[in-house]
Amino acid sequence: MLVVGPSSEKLGQKISKILRVEPVRLIHKTFPDGESYFRVTDKVGGHVVLVQGTHPPQDRHLVQTVLLCQGLRDLGADRLTVVMPYLAYARQDKTFLEGEVVSLKVVINLLRSSGVERVITVNPHSPWALQDGLISFKIVDAVPRVCEYLKHLIERPAIVLSPGKKGEAMAREAASVLDVESSHVKSFRDPERGDVRVEIGVGDLRGYTVLLIDDLISTGGTMIRLIEAVRSMGARRVIAACVHGLFVGGADSKVFRAGADMILSTDTVDTPYSKVSVAEPIADLLAYLR
Ligand code: R5P
């Protein structure tokens, strides 16, 4: 049984079409004070899959998830899987400064205590932190799809650059789909101020199309630093691609102003740049789940 939550309406409908499963009927209202109300008007039982991302406003979407999960369990769901295309709080997967709350751990505990057994998510920020066994996580990698989309839009010579801890593998993966060069970028974020600094290991990019790819564009800070750096190295065309486009506080306009020719994201979060859909790989995974 498929339940499409309010935060992932479009993606949920796409998944339902691919799987040819009519979603469970759900009434959702918001009370005048902002609280969510849900009523499930179909009978529920067996394995229930809820599609509900926790992109911004993440606290609201998270509470809706918990309400729905506990509710579905109470109504008869024997097993509960949540498709959470964007997993909130995954960036606070450890203590960076003394005294910090490890939010990801709290979120996992919350989901578990709401009856969730399994989460399907897309390119989470910290895959290594999802293996504590409390919930089984299945991860969809959207990078090959993003690159397939770009295959005919990238002119040679071209290079893929990707920042951060996962950047090296992501850049290599993207470059192999596109059959172009790749390089890793070191990125450093000040844990208190949040400022980002990047170090790119290539010198001259004159004449190059540069694909900058990251799992996430949130404030755009990282992407903007990258764009400025590659433009100063002579890049001819710059594509800013990501899996999750949060574009907080007009980050998309800032990314364009910094010199991107194109922004591309998937539909884990529905934005004007969501040209690549993750519905198919998620549906493929669901089709084989028991
Ligand atoms: C960091 O590890 C991520 O891969 C992103 O680079 C980062 O979270 C993006 O955030 P922002 O857009 O705020 O720089």
Side-chain angles (χ1 to χ4, degrees):
M1 298 188 111
L2 188 71
V3 179
V4 177
S7 71
S8 298
E9 187 66 42
K10 270 198 189 168
L11 180 61
Q13 294 299 342
K14 284 186 206 165
I15 294 172
S16 122
K17 276 213 180 89
I18 297 170
L19 291 173
R20 298 201 190 131
V21 173
E22 195 57 37
V24 167
R25 279 179 299 169
L26 180 70
I27 297 170
H28 168 228
K29 289 192 274 195
T30 305
F31 287 115
D33 60 3
E35 291 177 1
S36 293
Y37 164 95
F38 291 107
R39 181 169 170 227
V40 180
T41 53
D42 283 330
K43 285 260 165 291
V44 191
H47 181 197
V48 177
V49 175
L50 167 67
V51 185
Q52 164 86 356
T54 51
H55 48 278
Q58 44 279 76
D59 292 357
R60 178 169 178 75
H61 290 155
L62 198 55
V63 171
Q64 289 176 339
T65 308
V66 169
L67 292 176
L68 277 167
C69 289
Q70 189 63 67
L72 289 163
R73 275 290 204 186
D74 292 346
L75 288 166
D78 298 313
R79 273 166 303 137
L80 196 51
T81 296
V82 182
V83 175
M84 201 173 273
Y86 177 73
L87 175 64
Y89 289 103
R91 290 196 282 177
Q92 190 74 45
D93 62 310
K94 62 176 184 190
T95 308
F96 299 92
L97 299 172
E98 201 187 335
E100 284 178 343
V101 174
V102 183
S103 317
L104 178 62
K105 200 173 121 203
V106 178
V107 167
I108 293 175
N109 280 326
L110 188 63
L111 292 173
R112 182 62 230 172
S113 60
S114 308
V116 179
E117 288 167 347
R118 183 162 40 202
V119 170
I120 296 177
T121 189
V122 184
N123 294 85
H125 177 77
S126 40
W128 53 85
L130 303 178
Q131 312 303 340
D132 72 356
L134 210 52
I135 288 183
S136 141
F137 279 89
K138 300 252 179 259
I139 295 174
V140 170
D141 180 11
V143 172
R145 286 186 171 254
V146 170
C147 296
E148 284 295 338
Y149 180 90
L150 289 170
K151 237 175 181 169
H152 303 291
L153 297 173
I154 292 214
E155 287 167 37
R156 271 64 173 171
I159 187 165
V160 185
L161 302 175
S162 184
K165 202 168 170 179
K166 304 173 298 270
E168 200 168 347
M170 192 180 282
R172 254 192 280 114
E173 182 187 18
S176 90
V177 177
L178 293 165
D179 195 19
V180 298
E181 300 165 45
S182 74
S183 183
H184 172 233
V185 178
K186 286 188 185 156
S187 68
F188 312 89
R189 187 182 292 270
D190 184 294
E192 293 196 58
R193 292 194 312 274
D195 306 345
V196 181
R197 189 167 59 79
V198 296
E199 274 176 21
I200 302 185
V202 284
D204 194 353
L205 290 173
R206 268 174 297 179
Y208 269 77
T209 296
V210 180
L211 168 60
L212 301 171
I213 187 161
D214 203 348
D215 56 344
L216 173 66
I217 298 179
S218 178
T219 64
T222 311
M223 195 49 89
I224 289 166
R225 291 288 93 76
L226 288 169
I227 296 166
E228 289 167 348
V230 300
R231 282 292 187 198
S232 73
M233 292 169 177
R236 186 171 60 85
R237 193 154 182 264
V238 181
I239 299 172
C242 64
V243 174
H244 312 289
L246 303 188
F247 305 121
V248 175
D252 48 345
S253 309
K254 293 178 196 163
V255 166
F256 277 128
R257 273 205 302 275
D261 295 295
M262 176 187 175
I263 297 179
L264 177 66
S265 72
T266 77
D267 58 356
T268 58
V269 186
D270 186 35
T271 76
Y273 313 102
S274 302
K275 304 288 183 226
V276 176
S277 183
V278 294
E280 232 176 85
I282 290 175
D284 284 350
L285 246 181
L286 287 171
Y288 292 100
L289 281 188
R290 294 277 141 244

